[in-house]
Amino acid sequence: MKMTRQAWVLSRLAAMVLAACSATAVMAQTWPAKPVHLVVAFPPGGIVDTVARQLQPRLQSALGQPVIVENRAGAGGTLGAAEVARATPDGYKLLMTFDSYATYSLTYPKLPFQPTKDLAPVTQIARNPLILVVSPQVKAGSVKELVALSKAEPHALNYASVGAGSSNHLTAELFKAVSDAEAMHVPYKGGAPAMQDLLGGQVQMMFLSAVLAQPHVQSGKLRALAQTGAQRVPAFAGVATVEESGYLGFEVNSWVGMLAPAATPKQVIERLHQEIKRIVQEPAFAARLQEQGLSGIANTPEQFASALQAENRQWTQLVRERQLSME
């Protein structure tokens, strides 16, 4: 019996699909067979870079292949993310980024990639609260006193951020929304100039990651008034949460996470998740995170994806309600 042209085409397509699936399964079983590259989307010395370099030797040992950290900073982390989004989805190039990833669709409407489609969540590795810090010149020793000061002197407080749509910016606006505090946004092109003016007193307040806030609070150059997590972290055990300060339900956390190109085999993503979960649970690694005000997460890819969606919804609603400029 002769095969029709259509049947022949369909059979060839089925064979091609089966071959591709078989090749993917084989690749996933033998992965990794060469060095794995962790693309850090931010400069050296920041929280993402710090976590990546603490993870690197342990992940290298677990995978049995070199793990190479590469900094690809620029455009709020989107340059590094775009590089990984374009990479071959074979598990050899991975993205290390942080919470600003959840707001890329708000802050960068003309991205060369789609955050929700072109990169697949692997796991959130660690998180930490943001710390509300003020310069020593600010006459407020608590959140309530800061809010009262801002209302008594409406133009007295400016707050810094590393740019529109950043976690410092959106957290401050959420705080203003729940507390009715008055403060003017001063966006900077990066953390270094923002910190310079904050420490110099040109701006009076900022929501900083616990990792960045800790040395300046310890030295007395900044005063910590509150932390944004649901519970206090040991590094700031004497600092109340925003909720403890009277604003119920307020919770914001900064995080560091890993993503892979979207079509990366699920077996590879699951292997990465399991190895990172094991590393995060190691007492020495967990203790090191805790010293920096961080706590390990290592949630599943599905949980990470759900968290990204929830954060994007939350910040999108805030931007619309407060008519915030993302420029």
Side-chain angles (χ1 to χ4, degrees):
M1 183 177 179
K2 279 190 174 184
M3 182 181 290
T4 65
R5 173 74 178 172
Q6 183 179 17
W8 181 84
V9 170
L10 289 175
S11 67
R12 291 297 298 163
L13 286 174
M16 290 169 64
V17 170
L18 181 61
C21 291
S22 298
T24 298
V26 170
M27 188 276 287
Q29 290 171 3
T30 59
W31 181 90
K34 60 182 181 179
V36 175
H37 295 254
L38 298 185
V39 175
V40 174
F42 300 93
I47 182 174
V48 181
D49 183 69
T50 298
V51 172
R53 293 184 187 280
Q54 291 172 186
L55 180 71
Q56 180 267 338
R58 293 171 169 87
L59 188 59
Q60 180 170 280
S61 176
L63 297 180
Q65 288 288 344
V67 173
I68 301 166
V69 176
E70 300 176 352
N71 294 90
R72 295 286 188 269
T78 62
L79 292 184
E83 178 181 325
V84 177
R86 294 191 298 265
T88 303
D90 54 10
Y92 292 105
K93 183 167 284 191
L94 307 165
L95 176 67
M96 293 288 293
T97 189
F98 75 157
D99 44 272
S100 62
Y101 187 87
T103 62
Y104 280 170
S105 61
L106 293 172
T107 51
Y108 301 98
K110 296 181 180 179
L111 282 175
F113 69 97
Q114 296 184 59
T116 58
K117 294 182 179 180
D118 295 337
L119 286 161
V122 176
T123 185
Q124 287 173 311
I125 299 167
R127 67 182 168 207
N128 69 336
L130 298 176
I131 307 298
L132 172 56
V133 296
V134 296
S135 63
Q137 293 79 17
V138 175
K139 297 178 180 179
S142 68
V143 170
K144 291 290 188 182
E145 290 178 2
L146 182 71
V147 172
L149 174 64
S150 76
K151 292 178 179 179
E153 302 178 43
H155 303 292
L157 297 177
N158 296 320
Y159 74 88
S161 82
V162 299
S166 63
S167 58
N168 341 85
H169 174 212
L170 296 178
T171 302
E173 288 298 327
L174 180 61
F175 174 72
K176 287 168 61 179
V178 301
S179 68
D180 292 325
E182 298 284 344
M184 181 69 68
H185 180 211
V186 182
Y188 290 83
K189 293 182 178 179
M195 283 300 301
Q196 182 178 350
D197 278 7
L198 178 64
L199 293 170
Q202 283 76 32
V203 287
Q204 291 72 46
M205 57 183 283
M206 189 174 182
F207 282 87
L208 279 176
S209 73
V211 173
L212 296 179
Q214 189 177 28
H216 300 297
V217 172
Q218 288 177 338
S219 68
K221 294 179 180 179
L222 295 173
R223 184 187 309 129
L225 298 187
Q227 48 185 305
T228 62
Q231 298 176 332
R232 300 186 190 192
V233 294
F236 287 89
V239 179
T241 66
V242 174
E243 185 171 59
E244 289 172 335
S245 301
Y247 303 100
L248 301 181
F250 190 102
E251 180 182 0
V252 177
N253 286 293
S254 180
W255 51 261
V256 176
M258 179 185 287
L259 297 99
T264 301
K266 289 184 178 180
Q267 297 98 316
V268 171
I269 289 178
E270 183 56 29
R271 168 84 185 279
L272 282 165
H273 167 242
Q274 291 298 331
E275 297 293 358
I276 293 171
K277 181 179 178 181
R278 183 186 57 77
I279 292 168
V280 166
Q281 291 174 344
E282 290 178 6
F285 190 82
R288 181 63 181 136
L289 291 179
Q290 192 174 85
E291 289 172 5
Q292 299 167 307
L294 293 158
S295 58
I297 311 176
N299 54 5
T300 67
E302 294 77 18
Q303 290 169 332
F304 187 7
S306 179
L308 283 172
Q309 293 169 3
E311 286 186 32
N312 184 265
R313 287 194 300 269
Q314 177 189 24
W315 298 130
T316 298
Q317 181 179 352
L318 180 74
V319 167
R320 289 173 179 169
E321 289 178 351
R322 296 188 66 82
Q323 299 180 340
L324 302 177
S325 172
M326 292 293 103
E327 300 178 357

